[in-house]
Structure formats: structure tokens, C-alpha cells
Amino acid sequence: MWGMAGVDEADKLDRKKAAKVLRRSMSLLGPYKRQTVVASLLITLWTFTVLAGPFLVKYGIDQGIVKHDGGVLDRAVVAYVFVAIAAYIVYRLQIMLVGRIGEGFLRDIRVRVFDHLQHLSMPFYDREKAGVIVSRMTSDVDALAELVQTGLLMFMANGLLLVFSFIVLALVSWKLLLVCLVTLPFVILSSVKFQRDSNKAYLLVRDRIGTTLSSLQEGLSGVRVIQAYRREDEQVRRFTSTSRDLYNAHMDSVRISAWYLPVIEFSGVFTTAIAVGVGGWMVHANAITIGTVTFFLLTLSNLFEPVQQLSQLFNTVQSAGAGLNKLYELLDTPADVPERLGASELPADGAIDVDHVSFRYASEGAWVLHDVSLHIAQGERLALVGPTGAGKSTLAKLIARLYDPVQGQVEFAGVDVRDATLASLRRRICVVPQEGFLFNGTIRDNVRIAKQGASDDEVDDALRAIGVYDRFSALPEGLSTEVRERGSRLSAGEKQLVSLARAALADPSVLVLDEATSSLDPGTELLVEDALERLMQGRTVVVIAHRLSTAERADRIGVVDAGGLLELGTHDELVTAGGRYAALYATWAGRMATT
């Protein structure tokens, strides 16, 4: 009893979820309201043309053939031809219109999901696998596309045909219809069970698709590391395992269809046999006409054929519904770094204050920072040093509000950065990562990313500001050079220079730098350091210093370790103090002396 109660409760939740998905989908069809109304009218008209055929056959048999009236038979034939032509025209129009509505819906939901993904903050991407996110935009949308392109029209048309066929059969002979409905309870119970089982099966399929795509993406993205350590067989085994799970999920859905579809087929054949037997007996008793029996046989095909097609469409509908549910779950994912209601513009300049900040990445995870306080004066250059995993990058990300502190606050010019608009925050504080990411396009396009609508002259001035305009202009195609995907046509140093030019174009008050020269060769490093020096002029700078030579040039140095700010001062002060920084510097200086 308790087990059955649990199943019923789960089914109620599934039905509520399905109803919510349906209501939300209908709301997204708002821009297509007029087209949807016209399409519904066309589908209704097509249904009437389909049902008119059996009526004309009944009329021709009873009034023409049985009564030997050739004129009536001719009129019935001509009318049937006109109805067939009308059905062809209406069906073609409804295919085009429903297709336009469906493709528009797909376009809108793709754009909406991508827009939401672009505005989700960094914690979301820390939690989610890239392959799962990609599967939302590919396989889940593809499942919807299959429904829109082939199933939506069939679903709507057959649904109406089923309802109207039932009505006209009842009007023509409700007694014969009652006899033919002997299989209906069996069909309804089977359909309810199929709906429950298939919904769960297709939700599982969608999850397994995401896992498989994630495994595929990791295998392709990390192929250099995989081959370097000869891990090809291990990766194949992992992918085989996820593929086997996906295969098993698909086979579960196939087994569900394998028992249900034959049930519908058998019910249709059995009902037709009943109609012939009982209808023949009723004709013999002069209760109905031969034309009425013929009408029943033809219209029963319009009753059970839609049921069979709808049952076959259940696979597509359930798959699309599961995909749509996943997409809505993604759209409902809130931003971890939201813009507060009534947020204000951040002042143009000011000091940065980190006030008793504590942070951890997971709600129950270890503290990465605890009770950190720091004042950075306007125009000051602060270097953060410390071992890997000490919390340097996390502190810098909190200052740039890529994350929000769990405790404490970060202020800029006396304003809590959580109270500022995200647009003004990004204008004031600019993050330059260790490796510059370039998009497919030209050098000028990649620099212009920092400022929407920037003119070519503004882009050129940004490149001149950091002293690299002549270098890129000297390329065969100049600033119109196509960098290709991830900047594959440029060197690591050139990609970093483009990244710095973006920051120059954005012209922020504060620069947060994950040291941009740590992975470059000495020759390129000098060029990038010169560009960095030009970029930092007149700005507040927070730099994560991987090399102590960078820290040595800063106004002050903060030593971060074990989640705390252990030391803070100038280079000379910290060396004289003989603490953690002094030990790091002595080790580094000794290593430099031996090279």
C-alpha cells in the first residue's frame, strides 16, 4: 500500500510538471497567436474534408447504388473529387503554417536559452559539465525540432480527427458505436500506463545523452593529454560505459513501445471485425443500411488510425517533452551573481575595500577564504602572492564580482559592489585572464568585443595605447587578419596582446590581472610587459603574481595562504620583516642567481 501511494504521488508530480511545461509552452506561442488561430481553423477544415468522404460514400451507396439512381451516384463521385482537391489544398497550407509557427518557436527558445546561458555567472559553470550544457542546446532542441517538423501537425490533426470521428459515429448509429467501443477501456488503460512509463524513460534518455556528450567533449578537448600519457584505451572504456548506459535507456523506451503499439493495432482490427459482424446482422434485421455499415468501416479507420499514429507519436512527444522540461529547468536556473532590484551606477573612481570576507565554492565545502580584510587605494598597484590554491585568484574574482562572498562585503568607492548595476561594474573593473581567449573573426573584431559599437578608430587607438598597433598592422592582412577558432593563427603572446587591447578599449578604473606573462617565452614576455605597463598607467591594479619580479614592482604586496591574508606591505617592508614573503623571495632570488 505504501509503495503504491509513493507511485501515485510520483505520478501526480509528473502530471503537474507536464501541465506546467504545457502552459509555459503555450505562453511562448504568444507572438504567433494569430497564426496559431489560422492554423487551427485550417486543421479543423481539413478534418471536415476527411469526414466528408465516408458521408459521400454512404450517400452514394444508399441513394445511388441501392436505389439504382445513376444521377445520385454521379453527384456523389463529383463531390468526392472536389472534397479531395479541397483536402489537398488545405493540408498543404496547414503544413506550411504549422511549420512556420514551430520553427519560430524553436528559434525563440534557442535564443532565450543562449541568452540565459550568457548571463549565468561563474558558479554555474563550475557546477555544470560543458557537455551537459551543450546537450541542452543540441540534443534537447533537436528532439523539439523532430516534433515540430514531423509530429506537431500530425498530433493536432489526428487529435481533432479522433474527436470528430467519434461524434459523427455516434450521430449515425450510437447503438453500433457502443458495440464497437468494447475495446475502449483496454485502450485507455494501456495508454495511461504507456504515458507514465514512457515519460520516465525519456527523461532518463535525455540525462544519459547529456552524460555521453560530456564524455565525448572531454575526450576531444583533452586529446593531446590523452595521447601524451597513452590513455586512449581508458578514454574509450569510459565512453563505452556512458554509451552503454545510453543504449540501455533507449532500449527501456523501445520495450515500452513494443508492448503498447501492438495493443492499439489489435484493438483496431478487433473493432473492425465487430463492426462487420454486428453491422451485417443489423442490416439483415433492417435496423441500418448497407451504406451506414460502410460508413462505419471507413470512419472507424479514422478513429483507430489516429489512435495508432498518436501512439507512435508518443515517442516523439515524450522525447520532446523531456527535452523541453530540461530546457525550462535551465531557463529557471537563477544567476548566482544577480543584479539587485534598484541597483545603482558605480562611481567612476574610488578605493576598494574588502571587509571581513569569507568564501567557499560549495555550500558545504571547505572555506577558501576566511575573514579577509583589505584596503586598496585608488591608483595603487597591489600584487597577490602565495602558493597554488592559497586563495589569490578567488580574492581577485570577489573584487571583480565574478562571485559573491558568503560573508562580508566588497566595496568600490564606498558602494557595495552587490548594489551596483552589472553593466557599470564591468565598465569600472576589468579582468584580464592569464591566457587571452579569441573568438573566430578578425583582430579588430576581437578587440571590439570590449566595447559594443566601437569604431575602427577607437580600436586603433586602443592598440596604439599599449604600443602594439604597428605589430599587428604589419601582418599581411593587417587588423583584418582572421584569427580563426580560439586564435589559432596567432602566437600565445599575440593573443595576450589582443586581450590587453580589449582592456585598453574598455578603459576601466580597475584592472584585475592574472599575470599575463607567466606562460610566455622571454622575448614575447618583454613585449607583453611593456604593453601591460602602458595599460596600468593611472589605474588601480590587482595582479596575481606568479613571478616575484612582478610583485617586486608593485606598490604593495599581499601574501595569501591557507585562505587568509598573512602579510601586507611594500617589497622592502616584507623582506625586512623576515616573514613568509621574505622566505619566498630568498628562495626565488637564489634560484635566479643559479640560472
Side-chain angles (χ1 to χ4, degrees):
M1 290 293 291
W2 288 109
M4 287 300 295
V7 172
D8 291 341
E9 190 65 29
D11 288 337
K12 288 180 181 178
L13 290 175
D14 287 342
R15 287 196 294 271
K16 288 181 179 179
K17 185 182 292 185
K20 183 179 179 181
V21 168
L22 181 59
R23 287 195 301 270
R24 191 165 181 178
S25 300
M26 294 303 294
S27 69
L28 289 178
L29 287 173
Y32 309 98
K33 183 180 294 184
R34 291 183 180 179
Q35 297 179 52
T36 303
V37 170
V38 175
S40 300
L41 292 174
L42 287 173
I43 293 172
T44 303
L45 181 59
W46 174 82
T47 303
F48 287 147
T49 61
V50 172
L51 292 174
F55 267 116
L56 290 171
V57 171
K58 177 181 181 301
Y59 174 74
I61 292 174
D62 288 342
Q63 304 300 322
I65 296 176
V66 174
K67 294 183 179 181
H68 304 285
D69 189 335
V72 170
L73 188 59
D74 290 341
R75 287 194 295 271
V77 171
V78 171
Y80 203 109
V81 171
F82 275 109
V83 167
I85 294 173
Y88 166 79
I89 295 172
V90 172
Y91 194 58
R92 181 172 180 178
L93 289 174
Q94 71 185 30
I95 287 174
M96 294 175 63
L97 189 54
V98 172
R100 180 177 297 178
I101 295 170
E103 291 299 334
F105 175 81
L106 285 176
R107 177 196 61 205
D108 293 346
I109 202 165
R110 281 192 192 101
V111 172
R112 185 170 295 200
V113 171
F114 185 74
D115 177 76
H116 188 65
L117 285 171
Q118 291 295 296
H119 288 87
L120 286 175
S121 26
M122 293 302 106
F124 170 79
Y125 293 98
D126 292 338
R127 296 190 301 267
E128 296 293 333
K129 296 179 180 179
V132 173
I133 298 172
V134 170
S135 74
R136 299 287 87 86
M137 289 292 290
T138 53
S139 65
D140 289 340
V141 174
D142 285 345
L144 280 176
E146 184 179 355
L147 175 64
V148 166
Q149 292 163 1
T150 62
L152 187 59
L153 175 60
M154 191 181 298
F155 191 82
M156 295 171 65
N158 283 305
L160 279 177
L161 186 58
L162 180 63
V163 172
F164 284 120
S165 295
F166 187 87
I167 293 173
V168 297
L169 285 170
L171 291 174
V172 170
S173 177
W174 62 270
K175 294 180 180 179
L176 183 57
L177 177 61
L178 284 178
V179 175
C180 292
L181 292 181
V182 66
T183 61
L184 184 61
F186 191 53
V187 170
I188 292 175
L189 290 174
S190 299
S191 298
V192 170
K193 177 174 172 53
F194 175 76
Q195 188 275 329
R196 291 176 178 177
D197 294 347
S198 61
N199 185 48
K200 295 174 183 176
Y202 277 99
L203 283 172
L204 181 61
V205 167
R206 300 252 66 81
D207 284 336
R208 295 288 168 81
I209 288 174
T211 304
T212 302
L213 285 176
S214 180
S215 177
L216 173 64
Q217 194 240 3
E218 283 185 354
L220 295 177
S221 300
V223 67
R224 291 179 178 84
V225 175
I226 291 168
Q227 292 185 358
Y229 291 95
R230 298 183 60 81
R231 304 296 292 173
E232 296 94 332
D233 292 342
E234 175 61 25
Q235 286 299 121
V236 171
R237 278 193 292 272
R238 290 179 60 188
F239 186 74
T240 301
S241 176
T242 58
S243 297
R244 187 183 300 112
D245 290 340
L246 176 58
Y247 167 82
N248 291 335
H250 273 299
M251 287 308 300
D252 286 341
S253 66
V254 169
R255 280 190 287 269
I256 292 169
S257 299
W259 70 259
Y260 176 68
L261 297 181
V263 165
I264 303 300
E265 180 71 24
F266 172 78
S267 299
V269 173
F270 186 72
T271 304
T272 300
I274 291 176
V276 172
V278 176
W281 177 83
M282 293 176 73
V283 169
H284 184 72
N286 293 320
I288 58 176
T289 65
I290 295 177
T292 299
V293 176
T294 307
F295 170 83
F296 249 81
L297 294 177
L298 293 174
T299 308
L300 277 176
S301 67
N302 289 338
L303 189 66
F304 277 91
E305 187 176 340
V307 171
Q308 185 176 4
Q309 291 186 4
L310 287 172
S311 63
Q312 291 171 340
L313 272 173
F314 264 125
N315 291 344
T316 302
V317 172
Q318 294 290 355
S319 180
L324 199 57
N325 184 58
K326 294 292 183 183
L327 289 170
Y328 287 152
E329 286 179 357
L330 179 58
L331 285 171
D332 290 337
T333 302
D336 296 274
V337 182
E339 181 172 286
R340 287 179 174 175
L341 190 64
S344 59
E345 285 281 309
L346 207 59
D349 293 295
I352 297 172
D353 287 288
V354 179
D355 185 18
H356 297 287
V357 162
S358 297
F359 180 80
R360 56 187 176 191
Y361 286 98
S363 59
E364 301 298 329
W367 290 99
V368 181
L369 293 173
H370 51 85
D371 199 28
V372 174
S373 294
L374 174 66
H375 175 80
I376 307 172
Q378 180 180 333
E380 182 181 13
R381 297 185 187 182
L382 174 72
L384 298 176
V385 302
T388 300
K392 307 184 300 296
S393 296
T394 300
L395 180 56
K397 291 172 182 175
L398 291 172
I399 291 172
R401 210 201 167 199
L402 297 179
Y403 297 83
D404 279 337
V406 177
Q407 299 172 5
Q409 62 186 25
V410 177
E411 295 182 350
F412 178 79
V415 177
D416 189 331
V417 294
R418 289 172 293 194
D419 293 327
T421 62
L422 290 175
S424 66
L425 180 67
R426 299 296 171 240
R427 286 198 302 270
R428 304 290 182 256
I429 304 176
C430 180
V431 179
V432 180
Q434 187 173 353
E435 295 182 7
F437 184 92
L438 300 190
F439 297 85
N440 192 22
T442 66
I443 293 174
R444 185 173 269 120
D445 292 337
N446 272 277
V447 175
R448 191 178 281 116
I449 285 171
K451 183 178 179 182
Q452 185 177 4
S455 65
D456 288 350
D457 290 339
E458 288 178 296
V459 173
D460 294 348
D461 289 342
L463 290 163
R464 290 190 182 97
I466 61 171
V468 298
Y469 177 81
D470 291 339
R471 178 185 180 92
F472 287 119
S473 296
L475 295 174
E477 299 172 69
L479 297 178
S480 296
T481 299
E482 290 284 340
V483 302
R484 296 181 185 166
E485 187 176 3
R486 301 181 70 89
S488 60
R489 290 187 67 185
L490 302 183
S491 67
E494 288 172 330
K495 286 190 283 188
Q496 194 60 270
L497 291 173
V498 172
S499 184
L500 295 178
R502 285 177 187 159
L505 180 60
D507 193 23
S509 304
V510 180
L511 279 174
V512 178
L513 304 171
D514 191 351
E515 189 174 356
T517 61
S518 60
S519 60
L520 304 178
D521 61 88
T524 308
E525 180 181 347
L526 292 174
L527 182 64
V528 175
E529 281 187 346
D530 179 64
L532 267 172
E533 188 61 36
R534 292 167 179 257
L535 180 62
M536 290 189 294
Q537 292 297 322
R539 309 181 200 276
T540 304
V541 179
V542 179
V543 57
I544 301 167
H546 301 281
R547 299 179 180 182
L548 294 189
S549 58
T550 301
E552 196 174 1
R553 296 193 297 269
D555 297 326
R556 281 194 304 164
I557 300 165
V559 180
V560 182
D561 196 5
L565 185 62
L566 303 185
E567 298 178 3
L568 183 64
T570 66
H571 169 76
D572 292 338
E573 289 171 348
L574 295 181
V575 169
T576 302
R580 185 71 59 88
Y581 178 78
L584 288 172
Y585 186 76
T587 302
W588 176 78
R591 190 164 59 247
M592 291 296 101
T594 59
T595 57

